[in-house]
């Protein structure tokens, strides 16, 4: 018969040193840095709060009513279609290229930690480090204005965005099936096909849909800097101070982003049920 040892009573402590001390010190340093930044940048908080009533007044007097007849013109409707095409093409090619790059950049299943891993990481980090507006400016200087520059900029943007999420998902898989196939003599491609893809196919599909959702929002910004589509019309009307047309274009953008958000959310829910 085993002896029953009494359970020691739990001791409650209000303050745990040094963990709590470090935590409070870090929080205090962050607050001090924020306060110093506000003072150093000479940010007038009262002026910021007072800007919202003035913004509402400007929107009501200068941007109302929106010129909806302008956004119903055939040329603008075609620009909307071009924006959709850019986002679809950029998202498709970006996701397609990011899959092998994520495979290379996943430390646990990469083909070669000495060569493939740093190359994959460098490619993904390089695409993520540069904003899509900078990409489109670079491509416009080389290729000229138009959808080609915008599509290439969105492609690189999606490579960085999706590649990061894909590689993180790959590094979180169960390594049991991977090690089993490796011990049986399977090639890296066979390991990826039969041990990795079944674990990540649902997550990858959801990430691909989310990537397109983000690419669609970025397509408008890309167009503003020379990539074509709705962004070009927004830039032109803004520079010409056609405020009612600007308001109409912004309403169209908000409506389309809302529809894309609802559609992508519905697809992600359907995919989530497949798990």
């Amino acid at each position: 018969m085993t002896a029953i040892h009494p359970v020691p009573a739990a001791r409650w402590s209000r303050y745990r040193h040094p963990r709590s001390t470090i935590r409070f010190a870090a929080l205090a340093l962050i607050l001090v840095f924020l306060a110093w930044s506000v003072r150093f940048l000479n940010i007038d908080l009262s002026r910021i709060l007072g800007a919202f009533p003035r913004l509402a007044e400007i929107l009501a007097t200068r941007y109302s009513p929106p010129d909806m007849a302008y956004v119903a013109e055939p040329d603008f409707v075609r620009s909307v279609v071009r924006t959709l095409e850019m986002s679809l093409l950029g998202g498709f090619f970006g996701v397609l290229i990011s899959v092998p790059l994520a495979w290379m950049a996943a430390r646990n299943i990469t083909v070669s930690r000495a060569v493939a891993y740093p190359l994959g990481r460098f490619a993904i980090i390089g695409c993520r480090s540069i904003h899509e507006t900078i990409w489109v400016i670079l491509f416009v200087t080389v290729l000229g204005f138009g959808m080609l520059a915008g599509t290439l900029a969105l492609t690189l943007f999606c490579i960085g965005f999706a590649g990061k999420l894909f590689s993180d998902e790959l590094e979180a898989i169960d390594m049991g099936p991977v090690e089993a196939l490796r011990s049986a003599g399977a090639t890296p491609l066979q390991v990826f096909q039969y041990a990795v893809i079944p674990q990540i196919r649902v997550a990858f599909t959801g990430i691909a849909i989310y990537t397109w959702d983000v690419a669609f929002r970025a397509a408008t910004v890309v167009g503003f800097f020379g990539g074509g589509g709705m962004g070009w019309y927004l830039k032109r009307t803004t520079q010409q101070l056609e405020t009612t047309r600007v308001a109409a274009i912004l309403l169209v953008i908000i409506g389309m982003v809302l529809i894309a958000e609802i559609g992508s959310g519905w697809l992600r829910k359907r995919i989530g049920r497949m798990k």
Side-chain angles (χ1 to χ4, degrees):
M1 185 174 180
T2 58
I4 300 176
H5 298 283
V7 179
R11 298 180 62 184
W12 178 79
S13 175
R14 181 186 297 274
Y15 188 86
R16 294 182 179 180
H17 181 78
R19 184 188 306 174
S20 298
T21 304
I22 296 174
R23 185 181 305 167
F24 286 124
L27 180 60
L29 287 175
I30 292 173
L31 294 176
V32 170
F33 176 75
L34 291 176
W36 176 82
S37 300
V38 171
R39 182 180 179 86
F40 179 79
L41 297 174
N42 196 21
I43 298 176
D44 190 352
L45 297 179
S46 61
R47 187 177 180 183
I48 294 176
L49 295 177
F52 290 101
R54 176 166 173 75
L55 176 62
E57 179 184 354
I58 292 175
L59 291 176
T61 56
R62 300 183 186 179
Y63 290 82
S64 180
D67 187 0
M68 302 306 296
Y70 178 74
V71 297
E73 294 179 358
D75 289 341
F76 183 82
V77 174
R78 280 193 289 269
S79 73
V80 175
V81 176
R82 293 191 190 101
T83 302
L84 287 172
E85 291 172 348
M86 276 198 305
S87 63
L88 287 172
L89 288 173
F92 175 76
F93 288 118
V95 169
L96 193 65
I97 298 172
S98 65
V99 172
L101 288 178
W103 181 16
M104 295 168 59
R107 191 174 184 84
N108 54 339
I109 62 169
T110 185
V111 180
S112 171
R113 291 190 179 182
V115 179
Y117 177 75
L119 286 178
R121 280 289 175 185
F122 178 78
I124 293 174
I125 292 173
C127 292
R128 290 181 64 238
S129 300
I130 302 177
H131 198 269
E132 64 268 18
T133 57
I134 307 300
W135 280 124
V136 73
I137 291 172
L138 293 175
F139 283 120
V140 163
T141 57
V142 176
L143 303 172
F145 295 97
M147 286 185 57
L148 180 58
T151 303
L152 291 176
L154 288 176
T155 299
L156 293 179
F157 165 72
C158 291
I159 289 174
F161 182 83
K164 170 63 175 175
L165 297 178
F166 284 162
S167 60
D168 290 346
E169 192 69 30
L170 288 172
E171 289 182 344
I173 64 171
D174 181 11
M175 291 298 294
V178 175
E179 297 297 338
L181 282 179
R182 284 176 176 173
S183 62
T187 63
L189 183 60
Q190 290 174 332
V191 171
F192 188 78
Q193 181 178 358
Y194 296 108
V196 178
I197 290 180
Q199 298 187 57
I200 49 84
R201 59 185 180 87
V202 176
F204 266 37
T205 306
I207 292 172
I209 294 172
Y210 185 57
T211 301
W212 171 79
D213 186 15
V214 176
F216 175 74
R217 303 178 191 186
T220 304
V221 181
V222 165
F224 194 93
F225 288 90
M230 287 188 296
W232 183 82
Y233 281 87
L234 181 61
K235 179 180 181 180
R236 189 183 71 175
T237 53
T238 302
Q239 291 177 339
Q240 295 176 353
L241 300 179
E242 298 173 342
T243 54
T244 55
R245 291 182 174 181
V246 172
I249 295 174
L250 292 178
L251 288 178
V252 171
I253 294 173
I254 292 172
M256 294 189 66
V257 169
L258 182 61
I259 293 173
E261 179 70 23
I262 295 173
S264 61
W266 178 78
L267 287 174
R268 286 197 296 269
K269 284 184 180 178
R270 293 291 301 270
I271 293 169
R273 294 171 186 169
M274 295 168 56
K275 295 183 179 180

